[in-house]
Amino acid sequence: MKQLFVLDPIKYINPEKDSSAALMEAAYRASIEVWVCTPADLQANGNKAGVIARKVIPSPWITAEKPQNISLNQFACIWMRKDPPVDEAFLYATHLLEVAEREGVLVLNKASSLRAWNEKLGALRFSQLMAPTLVASRVDELKKFAEENGEVVLKPLGGKGGQGVIRIANNSPGIQALLELVTSQENLPVMMQKFLPEVQKGDKRILLINGEPLGAINRKPKEGDFRSNLALGGTAEATKLSNREKEICKELAPSLRNEGLFFVGIDVIGGMLSEINVTSPTGIREVENLMNSKLADQIIEILLKSLS
């Protein structure tokens, strides 16, 4: 069996932290041929999808063979693990992967769902599970929402890893100018959410595989910051799911399965759903290290059962 991983260039992947590396190593341990490419390597000749890919040995990290031009229907599964931003190149890559899907290849996560589930906007499908949230471009609407909720958080819809997330009070000096800036003079929508003080106790990342929670970590902000993202200095700690968090996972599960979202990372703060991460969710290494589990191997095992 062959599996293809569509990634950022290998030289940018840190095997000690990267979830893609964990999955590749687990696949290799399961006697699966592991191949890699970047989105730029995908192609279609008529209605046949292909790729210029390299077979790799990921453990020890990493040995790669010479590139080969190979049909995508040679792969039992293709992992789309390119990090955001979801830009024009990313979107075109999902269209090329759909050509492979039409030939019967399983793409994880499903190509059309990667387009449809913006990692901020996708959560709005479950707004009843979220803190009060507004997505808008108009400054007056955003100001009104801030006045109603006191302290709020601004999130760019295309952001990742906490980048560009701003915490403001409704009476912050210069709020008008700030909102004009982040909306590009009311041309670009942003997400505004009621600030949850519980974030100081942690932002829980829960990893769901085919709708089922298999692992979680609690990410705590560094001193002087409210953002708990590990890429911004947050620290991870072992955790267990509360009954409320289990209920959230249960409510999301049918939609995730129906939409072909096999590997998802959700963020929960104070019992409130914050985001649904579908492009290249992280956290496998942290769960494995903190919870003493073989999460990546479990994921590959579940995948193989679904393919059999």
Side-chain angles (χ1 to χ4, degrees), residues 94-293:
T94 65
H95 286 289
L96 289 170
L97 290 172
E98 279 187 306
V99 180
E101 286 179 330
R102 290 195 290 271
E103 293 188 73
V105 181
L106 177 65
V107 176
L108 304 174
N109 287 320
K110 187 175 176 66
S112 59
S113 294
L114 289 173
R115 295 193 299 272
W117 287 67
N118 173 277
E119 305 200 327
K120 306 294 190 298
L121 296 176
L124 295 178
R125 302 169 188 234
F126 308 96
S127 60
Q128 73 278 10
L129 305 175
M130 302 173 68
T133 301
L134 173 70
V135 177
S137 304
R138 298 303 182 194
V139 169
D140 286 346
E141 294 299 314
L142 292 164
K143 284 178 65 178
K144 180 182 177 182
F145 183 88
E147 289 167 1
E148 292 171 350
N149 289 278
E151 198 166 10
V152 295
V153 173
L154 277 170
K155 298 180 178 179
L157 297 182
K160 66 169 185 174
Q163 296 173 357
V165 177
I166 305 168
R167 173 182 170 186
I168 57 174
N170 62 351
N171 59 353
S172 295
I175 187 173
Q176 174 89 19
L178 175 62
L179 293 175
E180 290 170 353
L181 176 65
V182 298
T183 61
S184 296
Q185 302 299 319
E186 299 191 325
N187 286 304
L188 193 66
V190 296
M191 175 175 280
M192 182 179 278
Q193 288 182 314
K194 180 180 175 64
F195 174 70
L196 299 175
E198 295 90 341
V199 74
Q200 297 301 329
K201 297 179 182 178
D203 173 352
K204 198 165 290 189
R205 165 59 59 90
I206 306 171
L207 299 180
L208 292 90
I209 309 303
N210 205 25
E212 297 296 326
L214 281 198
I217 54 171
N218 192 47
R219 303 173 298 177
K220 300 190 72 172
K222 69 178 181 181
E223 187 175 351
D225 203 344
F226 71 97
R227 298 170 299 175
S228 57
N229 307 78
L230 301 183
L232 297 176
T235 56
E237 60 184 18
T239 190
K240 294 182 179 180
L241 297 188
S242 67
N243 288 335
R244 166 67 173 173
E245 290 156 352
K246 291 176 183 177
E247 290 172 1
I248 290 174
C249 294
K250 185 176 181 180
E251 189 154 349
L252 267 57
S255 293
L256 299 180
R257 294 192 189 104
N258 291 339
E259 299 277 351
L261 294 169
F262 177 79
F263 181 20
V264 169
I266 67 170
D267 297 335
V268 179
I269 302 171
M272 294 287 186
L273 177 66
S274 175
E275 294 183 13
I276 302 176
N277 299 279
V278 304
T279 50
S280 58
T282 61
I284 291 179
R285 291 298 198 200
E286 289 77 14
V287 170
E288 290 183 332
N289 293 334
L290 291 168
M291 308 301 287
N292 193 28
S293 73

